Amino acid sequence: MAELAHLPVNPASSAPDALTVDGLTHRIGGRVVLEQVGLAVPAGRFVTLLGPNGAGKTTLLSLVTRLYNAQQGRITVFGHDVRKESSAALAMMGLVFQQRAIDPDLTARQNLSYHAALHGLPGKVARARIAAELERMNLSKDADRKIRTLSGGESRRIEIARALLHNPKLLLCDEATVGLDVRSRADIISDVRGLVRDRGTAVLWATHLIDEVEPEDFVIILHRGKVRRQGRAAEIAASLGADGLNEAFRRVTEAAA
Amino acid sequence: MSPAAMLRCFRGILWREILRFLQQYSRFIAALVRPLIWLFVFAAGFRSVLGVSIVPPYETYILYDEYVIPGLIAMILLFNGMQGSLSMVYDRELGSMRVLLTSPMPRWFLLLSKLLSGTLLSLAQVYVFLLIAFAYGIELPLAGYINVMPALLLSGMMLGGLGLLLSSMIKQLENFAGVMNFIIFPMFFTSSALYPLWKVEEASPLLRDICDLNPFTYAVELIRFALYGRFESFSALVVAGCMVAFVAGAIIAYDPSKGIINRVRAGAAA
């Protein structure tokens, strides 16, 4: 795992990382989509997976969530091998998919209840958590509205609330702000960063939008299926002699073109 | 996962299926109108044309309307099984499938829960159909209404299992028309649903052989015998065997390392 050397892992901590990906290679239809990808998300940290469209971000997250198996390499979630202990690994993950994955004909509460059932939560616990998450998201008044009547930002926040219902220790967000207006984007990012601060939830935030990255964020740049750079945003820029992450990102992606 | 958590998961899947079903009145009406048209129009017209001799499980001459009831029940189960397949493809396109498949419950359990939920909804439709048929004047043995339940469950699971397997092969909703043309209609017409097998054999021995190879025939016969309080063991064996094969095939197809997602996402890697 040589590539992990750049990562912000606390060497004094013996706790397993929230997510580790080691030597991950995957082909789809004969095309190499991910090649020897290695990365880690320490527990309780916010890590940005930055890459242009087609970089392999969604494929990587699909493999982490075991929608399909990796052909080569190993993925662990808090020490649980995703392939061998998928149930334990999935129970610790909350997921927000790039593509909207919420039933538009059910209400927000019904969608959340369905998710709670899929995680086997008892009714009483589920009801309490649904109420709490909706309250936290300031969406209690919309609980009994059908999803198709909500705005894009509201339904996205319902998806985030859903991903948190089972108290996951790792939240995976795949382009969670795509298609939203500036204000909704800001609200969602702020909310997710708040989870790291207040609950100690580890977050892997996959995006192609550089303006969602803050200078102190840990960033993994994925391009054409390979990890090109990883480290703090400011450090990546400095290491390339670039004036900010924007320029650094452009250089990295152009160099690999 | 504990059995209690799995039970809660199953209840959640069933509850969602019921909610979706209740919101789709047209689906419920269509599911009933189809067999009712066959009963009120087709069977009524053929009543005077087709005579049905005394063959088991019947102990006396019966009208064609009564003969065709098990076939129409199986038709409801068949269409619902295929509807389940359509719903899986729709869920996949909508993204809801990801929510289901990333549950920490075992994938085989999730698929079986989905299948059983769909089958229980089909059973409810079958009983509404039987009630309307009763009101129309088709009186079956009273005990038959209860006796037929296990046969309905087994047949419904088999046809739902086939739908589940097909859903793993259909890449887009647009391909579903092919299911209608190449699965539903051939299965229905090359069975004992509309005509007794001996009559089919009179018309064409080859067609009879095809009917014998069609698992739907055995579902129809299992239901027919059960309605009259009789257990048709060979049909039960064939239906159970096919159910196991279809469900196992679907579980393999939905396995992360083998089937569906790899193929479906083949052109959409990013």
Side-chain angles (χ1 to χ4, degrees), chain A residues 118-184:
Chain A
L118 289 178
H119 280 261
L121 295 184
K124 208 170 175 179
V125 175
R127 282 191 292 278
R129 288 196 191 164
I130 289 168
E133 281 301 328
L134 288 171
E135 180 68 32
R136 196 179 66 79
M137 291 280 186
N138 203 20
L139 286 167
S140 298
K141 62 184 187 313
D142 300 310
D144 297 309
R145 283 174 63 194
K146 285 190 179 178
I147 295 297
R148 67 169 71 252
T149 68
L150 299 177
S151 70
E154 286 167 337
S155 67
R156 208 42 157 170
R157 279 156 64 208
I158 294 290
E159 284 187 272
I160 294 173
R162 180 181 64 184
L164 297 170
L165 272 186
H166 56 287
N167 280 342
K169 291 181 176 172
L170 169 66
L171 181 65
L172 305 175
C173 296
D174 186 8
E175 303 275 13
T177 58
V178 160
L180 301 181
D181 60 37
V182 175
R183 184 170 175 185
S184 298

Side-chain angles (χ1 to χ4, degrees), chain A residues 18-19 41-42 44-47 61 64-65 77-78 89 92-97 115 133 136-137 159-174 176 188-189 191-196 199-206:
Chain A
L19 172 69
V41 177
R45 305 294 279 270
F46 184 97
V47 173
L61 295 189
V64 171
T65 54
V77 174
F78 288 98
M92 301 183 104
M93 276 188 260
L95 316 164
V96 180
F97 304 102
H115 177 84
E133 281 301 328
R136 196 179 66 79
M137 291 280 186
E159 284 187 272
I160 294 173
R162 180 181 64 184
L164 297 170
L165 272 186
H166 56 287
N167 280 342
K169 291 181 176 172
L170 169 66
L171 181 65
L172 305 175
C173 296
D174 186 8
I188 285 174
I189 295 169
D191 182 68
V192 172
R193 286 184 185 279
L195 291 171
V196 179
R199 296 190 190 179
T201 309
V203 174
L204 181 62
W205 180 266

Side-chain angles (χ1 to χ4, degrees), chain B residues 15-234:
Chain B
W15 172 79
R16 178 176 180 263
E17 292 293 313
I18 292 171
L19 278 178
R20 284 187 63 82
F21 183 77
L22 291 176
Q23 286 171 349
Q24 297 170 347
Y25 297 107
S26 56
R27 185 177 145 194
F28 178 65
I29 291 166
L32 278 177
V33 163
R34 205 176 294 116
L36 287 174
I37 286 178
W38 280 89
L39 180 63
F40 295 152
V41 181
F42 181 85
F46 272 63
R47 185 189 294 171
S48 54
V49 181
L50 287 175
V52 181
S53 68
I54 303 174
V55 286
Y58 306 110
E59 290 170 351
T60 179
Y61 284 102
I62 52 154
L63 289 175
Y64 183 67
D65 319 44
E66 189 171 335
Y67 173 82
V68 87
I69 288 287
L72 296 182
I73 289 173
M75 176 198 248
I76 295 175
L77 299 176
L78 176 64
F79 269 86
N80 273 305
M82 297 307 121
Q83 182 81 36
S85 148
L86 180 65
S87 147
M88 292 288 273
V89 179
Y90 179 74
D91 274 359
R92 205 167 62 213
E93 294 205 346
L94 207 66
S96 314
M97 178 78 85
R98 289 180 157 227
V99 178
L100 179 75
L101 296 183
T102 52
S103 156
M105 301 293 167
R107 198 162 281 193
W108 62 263
F109 174 77
L110 295 168
L111 292 171
L112 276 182
S113 296
K114 185 103 176 147
L115 180 59
L116 185 58
S117 302
T119 305
L120 290 175
L121 276 177
S122 299
L123 257 64
Q125 291 169 58
V126 165
Y127 277 99
V128 173
F129 169 74
L130 283 172
L131 197 67
I132 296 172
F134 181 79
Y136 181 63
I138 297 171
E139 293 181 24
L140 302 166
L142 269 182
Y145 290 97
I146 304 296
N147 291 335
V148 78
M149 204 179 281
L152 294 177
L153 199 61
L154 194 62
S155 304
M157 291 286 280
M158 177 193 77
L159 296 166
L162 176 62
L164 205 58
L165 182 60
L166 287 172
S167 74
S168 70
M169 299 169 183
I170 301 169
K171 288 185 181 173
Q172 293 171 317
L173 276 178
E174 289 74 19
N175 301 134
F176 195 71
V179 173
M180 292 289 286
N181 288 332
F182 295 108
I183 306 286
I184 296 180
F185 291 142
M187 275 188 97
F188 182 66
F189 288 113
T190 60
S191 74
S192 57
L194 297 177
Y195 321 103
L197 289 176
W198 66 267
K199 269 205 180 285
V200 175
E201 191 168 8
E202 269 183 8
S204 161
L206 175 65
L207 193 57
R208 162 70 197 243
D209 290 343
I210 294 171
C211 290
D212 281 342
L213 292 173
N214 181 0
F216 187 71
T217 298
Y218 299 93
V220 172
E221 292 309 305
L222 183 66
I223 292 167
R224 189 188 308 284
F225 276 73
L227 278 171
Y228 294 88
R230 292 176 63 174
F231 178 64
E232 223 292 286
S233 56
F234 184 67

Side-chain angles (χ1 to χ4, degrees), chain A residues 26 28-29 31 33 53-60 62 65-69 71 83 86-88 90-91 95 97-107 109-111 113-115 117-123 146 148 162 174, chain B residues 1-2 4-6 8-17 19-20 23-24 90-107 110 114 254-263 265-270:
Chain A
H26 196 76
I28 295 181
R31 189 165 67 92
V33 181
N53 293 329
K57 303 187 295 294
T58 298
T59 302
L60 174 61
S62 296
T65 54
R66 208 177 170 251
L67 275 169
Y68 47 107
N69 277 344
Q71 291 149 353
R83 202 164 190 165
S86 59
S87 187
L90 285 167
L95 316 164
F97 304 102
Q98 178 178 14
Q99 185 191 3
R100 295 288 188 275
I102 192 160
D103 196 324
D105 294 318
L106 299 186
T107 66
R109 194 190 304 279
Q110 287 167 342
N111 269 292
S113 299
Y114 175 57
H115 177 84
L118 289 178
H119 280 261
L121 295 184
K146 285 190 179 178
R148 67 169 71 252
R162 180 181 64 184
D174 186 8
Chain B
M1 283 290 162
S2 68
M6 290 170 94
R8 286 192 285 270
C9 177
F10 169 69
R11 277 208 318 249
I13 291 172
L14 176 62
W15 172 79
R16 178 176 180 263
E17 292 293 313
L19 278 178
R20 284 187 63 82
Q23 286 171 349
Q24 297 170 347
Y90 179 74
D91 274 359
R92 205 167 62 213
E93 294 205 346
L94 207 66
S96 314
M97 178 78 85
R98 289 180 157 227
V99 178
L100 179 75
L101 296 183
T102 52
S103 156
M105 301 293 167
R107 198 162 281 193
L110 295 168
K114 185 103 176 147
Y254 276 90
D255 185 280
S257 61
K258 296 183 179 69
I260 177 171
I261 307 282
N262 283 339
R263 291 200 304 274
R265 290 193 52 77

